[in-house]
């Protein structure tokens, strides 16, 4: 569920970046979800915090944002399918194999 939450946050940040990309002085933001996961894996206990940072050079452009949004949507859909499969298996186990 943390992964789904992180990807949903990334979608919101990308939408914000796209909506404000022509606003003077706008600074694009980037969700650093993967780094938070790496930090959590390396520690005994992750804090579950997804970090938002200013986008670096070349990360805030329209093409980059659209590509990142497409990647994020695909990852979200894949995770959601996995969660749905787990729920279906649990439902099958609870119903003792009867539908």
């Amino acid at each position: 569920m943390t992964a789904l939450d992180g990807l949903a946050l990334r979608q919101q940040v990308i939408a914000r970046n796209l909506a404000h990309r022509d606003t003077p002085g706008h600074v694009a933001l980037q969700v650093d979800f993967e780094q938070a996961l790496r930090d959590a894996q390396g520690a005994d206990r992750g804090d579950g915090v997804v970090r938002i940072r200013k986008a670096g050079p070349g990360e805030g452009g329209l093409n980059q944002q659209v590509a990142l949004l497409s990647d994020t949507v695909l990852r979200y859909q894949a995770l959601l399918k996995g969660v749905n499969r787990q729920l279906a298996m649990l439902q099958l186990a609870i119903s003792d194999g009867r539908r």
Side-chain angles (χ1 to χ4, degrees), residues 1-7 9 31-33 35-41 43-52:
M1 296 310 289
T2 301
L4 289 173
D5 292 340
L7 290 171
L9 177 62
V31 174
D32 211 351
F33 181 64
Q35 185 60 47
L37 281 177
R38 284 191 291 273
D39 292 346
Q41 288 174 343
D44 290 337
R45 182 181 69 85
D47 57 8
V49 175
V50 177
R51 290 158 183 85
I52 299 176

Side-chain angles (χ1 to χ4, degrees), residues 79-99:
L79 281 170
L80 202 53
K81 283 182 182 180
V83 169
N84 285 336
R85 285 186 184 127
Q86 284 181 333
L87 290 175
M89 287 190 306
L90 286 172
Q91 186 176 21
L92 188 63
I94 290 171
S95 67
D96 203 26
R98 290 175 254 154
R99 291 186 175 199

